[in-house]
Amino acid sequence: MAEQRVSLSTASLGDAVFSGSSRTNYYWQPEVSVSFAEESGALYVDFGVRGENLRVLESDALVLIDVADGKLAGIEILLDDKEVMRELSRILRP
């Protein structure tokens, strides 16, 4: 199997990613799909946003993957670049 594709509900994504933290949380409910390419070991989370100008913010982030009862439960990305953190915070701010 080359790629596994999983759809997550927007409610579960909001609960898993943006709640439960003591820090300021931004709540956003995108349409999400998750795919995994076994050959490259790449996990891709697609929020369904399309546009003319695409930028990639690069970081040597630590990624933690939560698994509950053999199912993907959450993905935590611990960024290591302050500029990327500021930009992501700006993008997600309501």
Side-chain angles (χ1 to χ4, degrees):
M1 174 187 308
E3 184 175 297
Q4 297 176 341
R5 193 167 209 62
V6 179
S7 291
L8 302 175
S9 73
T10 56
S12 66
L13 179 73
D15 293 343
V17 176
F18 295 104
S19 66
S21 172
S22 61
R23 297 189 177 125
T24 302
N25 295 319
Y26 303 115
Y27 194 77
W28 175 43
Q29 292 186 329
E31 292 295 323
V32 175
S33 68
V34 176
S35 59
F36 179 69
E38 289 184 21
E39 309 83 46
S40 61
L43 179 69
Y44 187 73
V45 181
D46 184 347
F47 296 108
V49 175
R50 303 292 179 259
E52 294 288 322
N53 300 310
L54 176 66
R55 290 185 305 135
V56 175
L57 304 176
E58 190 170 329
S59 173
D60 290 327
L62 174 63
V63 177
L64 304 175
I65 300 172
D66 300 328
V67 177
D69 300 326
K71 296 180 182 175
L72 180 63
I75 301 170
E76 182 175 358
I77 303 170
L78 302 172
L79 299 170
D80 66 334
D81 185 305
K82 298 287 186 194
E83 185 58 37
V84 172
M85 286 184 235
R86 280 191 291 275
E87 180 69 11
L88 191 56
S89 179
R90 185 192 65 75
I91 291 167
L92 293 176
R93 198 171 290 127

